[in-house]
Amino acid sequence: MDEVASISDISQWQSIVTLVVFVLSNLVVLLPFHIPIFIYRPFAYKFLDGLAAFRFIPPRQRASPEADDRKLFMRLRFPVNLTTGPLIGVLFLLSINVIGRTEVHDGTIGANNISPIDIIAFALTIGYIGSSIDCAGFIRFLTIKVLRRYGGAGHRLFISVYMVFFLIGCFLGNDIVIQMGMLFLIYLNQAISNLQHPRAWIHTQFALANIASTILVSSSTTNVVLAQAFQIGFAEYTANLIIPVTATVILLRPFLLYIAFAHEGLIPISVKLRELPKEEDRPKEPVDAQSRPTRVLTNAIGGSGPGPNDDSPGAAALYALMNPYLDKTSAFLGITIMASTLIVLLALTAANLSNFPVYWVTLLAAFLMACWDAAFGWVHRRETRMIARKGTQITAAGSAQPSRSEYGAQTSVQRPIVDEERGVSQGLDDTRSDSEPGAATPCRTLQSLLLDMQQWLRETFPTVTGVVSLLPFQLIPFAFPIFILVQSLAATGWITLFAHWWDSWVAKTGTVGSIAAMGFLSVILSNFTGTNIGATVLLARVLQVWADLHEASGTAISDRTYWGTVYTLAIGVNYGAFSLTFGASLAGLGWREDLKRRGIYVRRMEFVRVNLPIIAFTMIVSCAILVGEVYIMRDDAPYSPRS
């Protein structure tokens, strides 16, 4: 293992600056803001006119001279958030020579059994397969099947949804369940007429997705980090965590149902589904959701149901909701590829090939899934383009007057594209006035060519483009700088200091104190160190250095204490995603924004108030069971480092 700096280095100014930059870089994840940048207006106009002259962009609309003279400077807003904050921190440390090539290399290529490139590639490739299953309509189809089977009793429906989320989360991971489950619950909220507020359902889904993702290494990015850092095999990891997690899920269900969400308006005893028109008036074939306009699918579900011959957007939305489309071949193929991938990963572990890069397996699986999606889109390109054109006509008919879009912007003339979230056709403001008689044909620009190419790709390959737009690419500019910043802390002596503090605590409290403290720290730091990924990297390095200190001094850590601490860290960083802040996980940030776009607002204080009892209950139960497990399964023999 690479050497880290000693505690004496902390007194140097470089160490202080590194710690301050690390803290500030993580705070902007919780509290993003914008920096105003003022640009001299005539200079900006000259620059834009130059781009327009070379036909990169269309000519700008000329404002009145009075408007131009009103403000001499124009203001741009530069975002400082999770994608830019940590990167700015790394660039600042590089500019003042606090860190160098070694820290950048170790934070990108990898060191100490942690390979950021492998981790990010794994997350993107496994995410593609799961999102492709969703785009096949499997979740929409499953939603209505569950509702129609268990919709008569609210508690039975809640328990059924609860178990489905847990089982899917175990195999597909938390990001996929959060995306799919969020859509599932939005459809459920729209389909049930007597549900007052979806709070109980959405918070249960979010918590359960993160709990379920603790069991398999492939289910969460944090699990991959831990498995690499401590060289834990996939099967070994699951064997040590399946009992605490499963017991927590079993005990959490009555806690949510009868204590946390006992109000009748949150989980009705009986639910009432919205009614479709008579069977003879229903569309003969369900329409592919990937080719339907998003505005039609989300427009005015509430209120009275459509009439028998109603062609309004609200009727189309209810038809699409209650009569879902399912591409059985694509869904079956996607589930088969996902299951095969997990089986191969477990087999590699059983064959003692834990050092084999896991993304090699998932990359091949994602490539096969992408080839199928592209081929399916090309073969059916005429159908999807026709449906997109029809959907645009419905959208235009339903929005003749300017209205507020899903994103809060004013909509006017609609241009058919495919929604980035599901690969479906959606209206986009068109600045061209082709409908006006005598309007001049606008010149072609590089921008318009790229937009047309994007539209063609979305209509020809709706699944591929839709799935790609769902992948967590924001993980790239966020995760690499976080890894580099943690390496910077190690290089300046902070990790060594933290390891000494941790060793002092464990020496006084033993195994139980170690598990309790790590459970508390992992949850808290998930909220304040750049999501649970940052907390995982930081605490994993502390534990690695802690083991090195004992090895150098000739003293031993008991096997029971060491592995109890490691597996508590695994529980805490997964559970910590549903604790105090949305920024405790990347999925939490996306979950909040997706709900907001669909008219469900979760405020910060509500998030804290609802999740505090849940995180307290789950952590106490899981840690208590883990204590019993390590005392039964492990002994006080010295911990032996793995090569």
Side-chain angles (χ1 to χ4, degrees), residues 564-638:
T565 305
V566 169
Y567 288 117
T568 304
L569 173 58
I571 292 173
V573 292
N574 279 283
Y575 291 15
F578 59 93
S579 52
L580 301 177
T581 65
F582 297 104
S585 67
L586 291 175
L589 294 169
W591 176 77
R592 183 194 187 192
E593 293 302 316
D594 286 340
L595 288 175
K596 184 189 298 184
R597 278 200 293 266
R598 289 163 174 84
I600 300 176
Y601 296 91
V602 182
R603 292 176 170 81
R604 294 183 182 183
M605 290 308 300
E606 178 190 347
F607 187 81
V608 175
R609 179 176 56 82
V610 174
N611 282 315
L612 269 181
I614 301 176
I615 186 64
F617 179 85
T618 53
M619 284 301 298
I620 290 173
V621 171
S622 293
C623 290
I625 295 175
L626 184 62
V627 168
E629 179 182 292
V630 296
Y631 269 94
I632 294 173
M633 303 300 297
R634 299 182 184 273
D635 53 29
D636 287 327

Side-chain angles (χ1 to χ4, degrees), residues 227-241:
Q228 285 196 351
F230 301 104
Q231 296 181 299
I232 306 173
F234 278 48
E236 179 187 359
Y237 185 95
T238 301
N240 283 276
L241 287 174

Side-chain angles (χ1 to χ4, degrees), residues 348-461:
L348 290 174
T349 300
N352 293 323
L353 296 175
S354 300
N355 293 326
F356 186 86
V358 293
Y359 81 93
W360 288 7
V361 178
T362 58
L363 181 62
L364 176 60
F367 176 75
L368 294 175
M369 195 73 238
C371 289
W372 167 263
D373 292 337
F376 187 87
W378 180 257
V379 171
H380 297 86
R381 63 189 183 279
R382 292 184 176 85
E383 301 173 21
T384 56
R385 291 172 183 173
M386 180 180 66
I387 295 172
R389 284 193 295 270
K390 290 181 178 179
T392 304
Q393 295 173 1
I394 298 175
T395 303
S399 43
Q401 299 295 329
S403 61
R404 302 296 295 180
S405 71
E406 292 178 8
Y407 303 91
Q410 288 286 338
T411 59
S412 52
V413 180
Q414 300 295 321
R415 181 179 182 179
I417 64 169
V418 176
D419 182 12
E420 294 181 359
E421 294 183 359
R422 294 265 73 87
V424 304
S425 174
Q426 181 185 15
L428 182 70
D429 290 348
D430 197 339
T431 56
R432 294 179 292 181
S433 302
D434 297 337
S435 60
E436 298 179 3
T441 303
C443 61
R444 302 289 286 172
T445 63
L446 179 62
Q447 182 185 27
S448 65
L449 289 175
L450 292 177
L451 288 175
D452 289 342
M453 180 183 298
Q454 185 183 45
Q455 176 181 339
W456 181 85
L457 288 173
R458 289 175 175 176
E459 292 183 350
T460 307
F461 306 105

